[in-house]
């Protein structure tokens, strides 16, 4: 069983829609990361969270430490947001990665 | 420009052959990592190095080997002992271990 679960696995949206991707984890963590993987395979770090909420442009990430849950929101989605979004958690000396959510935004 | 480079982008391996994937960074990062990505699964750690001339096994080190002779370079060798090498391989680095990791563009390895 993966220690990091993401939902949904796949998500298709129309341009302009509000997107939510969820991440749940099963162990105590020191930090949670949201990563974006482009179709070519390259990965970019979007956020690192240990509590509360962070915002960058149209992206918002929240974390609830007590519930072991994080969400990534995209407002006013655009086709260029199409990518795989990966949740990763750090605990002790290890990083654990979710399987990713494939987002497709149609024009 | 600072960053991480991986080469080649695509690599083909014949049965019984060892192949080496290159990873270079000019970010002056101490720590470097190798991950394997398979469809429908999260990234899995193969090896990591916190400092030059030192490296540690990750979760799936069997069939792989690494070296860290220079700070900027962390090559991964996929040996013939790795029976299922077809995957996407990602290299990453961080200023120090446990800090935010920066990823390379990846190498896709295919078996002929």
């Amino acid at each position: 069983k993966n220690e990091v679960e993401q939902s949904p696995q796949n998500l298709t949206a129309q341009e302009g829609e509000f997107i939510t991707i969820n991440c749940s984890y099963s162990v105590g963590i020191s930090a949670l990361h949201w990563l974006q993987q482009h179709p070519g395979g390259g990965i970019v770090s979007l956020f690192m969270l240990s509590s509360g909420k962070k915002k960058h442009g149209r992206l918002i990430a929240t974390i609830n430490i007590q519930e072991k849950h994080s969400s990534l929101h995209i407002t006013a989605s655009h086709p260029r947001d199409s990518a795989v979004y990966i949740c990763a958690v750090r605990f002790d000396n290890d990083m654990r990665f979710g399987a990713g959510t494939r987002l497709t935004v149609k024009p | 420009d600072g960053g991480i480079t991986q080469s080649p982008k695509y690599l083909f391996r014949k049965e019984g052959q060892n192949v080496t994937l290159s990873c270079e960074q000019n970010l002056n990062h101490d720590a470097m990592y190798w991950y394997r990505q398979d469809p429908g699964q999260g990234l899995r750690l193969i090896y990591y190095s916190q400092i030059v001339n030192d490296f540690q096994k990750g979760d799936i080190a069997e069939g792989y080997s690494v070296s860290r002779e220079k700070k900027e370079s962390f090559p991964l060798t996929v040996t013939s002992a790795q029976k299922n090498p077809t995957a996407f391989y990602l290299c990453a680095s961080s200023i120090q271990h446990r800090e935010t990791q920066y990823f390379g563009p990846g190498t896709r390895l295919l078996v002929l």
Side-chain angles (χ1 to χ4, degrees), chain A residues 2 6 16 24 31 41 45-46 53 61 71 73 75 86 89-90 93:
Chain A
N2 198 355
Q6 287 187 237
S24 296
S45 180
L46 298 174
K53 175 179 174 178
S71 293
H73 306 285
T75 61
I86 299 170
V89 299
R90 175 171 295 289
N93 213 29

Side-chain angles (χ1 to χ4, degrees), chain A residues 85-100:
Chain A
Y85 292 84
I86 299 170
C87 172
V89 299
R90 175 171 295 289
F91 61 100
D92 293 334
N93 213 29
D94 290 338
M95 284 273 283
R96 289 286 182 257
F97 296 80

Side-chain angles (χ1 to χ4, degrees), chain B residues 16-37:
Chain B
Q17 186 182 42
N18 293 356
V19 292
T20 298
L21 284 62
S22 168
C23 178
E24 304 277 330
Q25 54 97 1
N26 60 4
L27 300 167
N28 201 33
H29 286 175
D30 281 325
M32 296 186 75
Y33 310 82
W34 274 106
Y35 294 96
R36 171 180 170 139
Q37 187 178 37

